[in-house]
Amino acid sequence: MIKERIMPGELESSWKEILENEFSKEYMIRLREFLKNEQEQHRVIYPPSRFIFNAFNRTPFNDVRIVILGQDPYHGEQQAHGLSFSVQKGISIPPSLQNIFKELHIDVPEFRIPEHGDLTGWADQGIFLLNATLTVEAFKAGSHQKRGWEIFTDKVIAELSQRRSGLVFLLWGKFAQSKAKLIDSNKHYILTAAHPSPLSAYNGFFGCRHFSKANAYLKKMGAEEINWQI
């Protein structure tokens, strides 16, 4: 059932401890009812239920080193699997992710552009691939925005900012940059650039060198650098 999709029991234990109280709040009750109604109307929701909290379950709270914030999941068939910008193996690489790979190849010369877009290997290294909205109706971009998910994910960002230090936040595009107000810039490294979408990548995403800058900061903080190759 849909309501089982957004119960705290599905969360990895460290995230569950921090976020469990959110699931009894009014906005989450309304969100649960909205999703239940979507199901009753026989609407297809992405990602599949097992992947809604994939970013949390692949990257425990204390393992987070970098946060890459997206807006909402891909709405095409079999694309979304709960990690921002990522698609499952066997699915065509979306244009924004293609541009991310292009910038990586320029920024990190040893990086080779892969034949797939599955970023699970990044998540397993501590890159928290968070979408602000965690579900979407099939083929209807943005259809689950302003239903409560943003309240939940704002809380997630605020908790990371408050409880952790020395994290890197990669905020691409105006929407992601609007979340900077939730982050303590005295404790964390915030990098901003244009969105990697083909509509804006040439306005400041290409050449931003966020990947090498993130690794330089992690090294400075005594943390292990990211192996960007997937």
Side-chain angles (χ1 to χ4, degrees):
M1 295 176 63
I2 283 288
K3 70 177 183 179
E4 294 174 349
R5 291 181 174 182
I6 54 172
M7 293 298 290
E10 293 191 10
L11 283 176
E12 184 274 335
S13 60
S14 63
W15 284 109
K16 181 179 178 181
E17 181 179 353
I18 292 166
L19 298 171
E20 189 167 24
N21 290 339
E22 294 300 301
F23 290 85
S24 61
K25 292 184 177 179
E26 182 63 29
Y27 80 87
M28 188 60 79
I29 294 170
R30 291 196 303 268
L31 174 59
R32 185 180 294 120
E33 289 302 312
F34 166 73
L35 293 173
K36 181 180 179 182
N37 183 66
E38 291 287 281
Q39 183 188 50
E40 291 173 349
Q41 297 297 319
H42 303 289
R43 297 187 176 112
V44 177
I45 295 173
Y46 294 135
S49 59
R50 68 186 184 278
F51 286 140
I52 289 176
F53 290 116
N54 197 22
F56 299 84
N57 295 331
R58 300 296 314 199
T59 312
F61 184 82
N62 290 320
D63 291 349
V64 175
R65 294 189 285 155
I66 295 176
V67 179
I68 298 180
L69 183 65
Q71 190 159 3
D72 59 355
Y74 296 120
H75 54 84
E77 186 176 2
Q78 296 185 338
Q79 287 183 306
H81 64 135
L83 305 176
S84 62
F85 293 100
S86 180
V87 292
Q88 300 182 73
K89 290 180 180 178
I91 302 300
S92 297
I93 301 174
S96 291
L97 185 54
Q98 291 181 30
N99 286 337
I100 290 170
F101 288 159
K102 289 176 184 177
E103 172 60 20
L104 254 169
H105 182 57
I106 295 169
D107 188 20
V108 182
E110 62 270 23
F111 178 84
R112 295 293 177 263
I113 295 177
E115 296 181 355
H116 67 87
D118 186 345
L119 304 181
T120 300
W122 289 5
D124 291 343
Q125 292 183 73
I127 301 179
F128 187 45
L129 297 166
L130 178 68
N131 279 316
T133 302
L134 299 187
T135 58
V136 68
E137 183 180 345
F139 311 116
K140 292 187 178 180
S143 52
H144 288 187
Q145 292 177 7
K146 299 181 180 179
R147 294 289 184 173
W149 279 128
E150 295 92 339
I151 300 173
F152 179 76
T153 53
D154 279 1
K155 174 68 172 178
V156 170
I157 296 167
E159 290 289 345
L160 282 167
S161 177
Q162 179 181 345
R163 295 174 183 247
R164 297 290 308 281
S165 61
L167 302 183
V168 182
F169 288 83
L170 304 185
L171 306 181
W172 300 330
K174 291 182 179 179
F175 174 82
Q177 290 164 23
S178 73
K179 304 298 182 177
K181 62 182 180 292
L182 303 171
I183 306 163
D184 187 344
S185 60
N186 294 314
K187 295 172 58 181
H188 305 285
Y189 188 34
I190 303 173
L191 291 170
T192 62
H195 194 277
S197 162
L199 298 175
S200 56
Y202 286 96
N203 293 326
F205 179 77
F206 288 134
C208 69
R209 299 194 176 275
H210 279 186
F211 307 99
S212 61
K213 289 177 180 178
N215 267 350
Y217 178 78
L218 291 175
K219 184 176 181 180
K220 177 182 176 182
M221 299 299 292
E224 185 178 355
E225 297 177 73
I226 299 294
N227 176 8
W228 295 104
Q229 190 65 57
I230 59 170

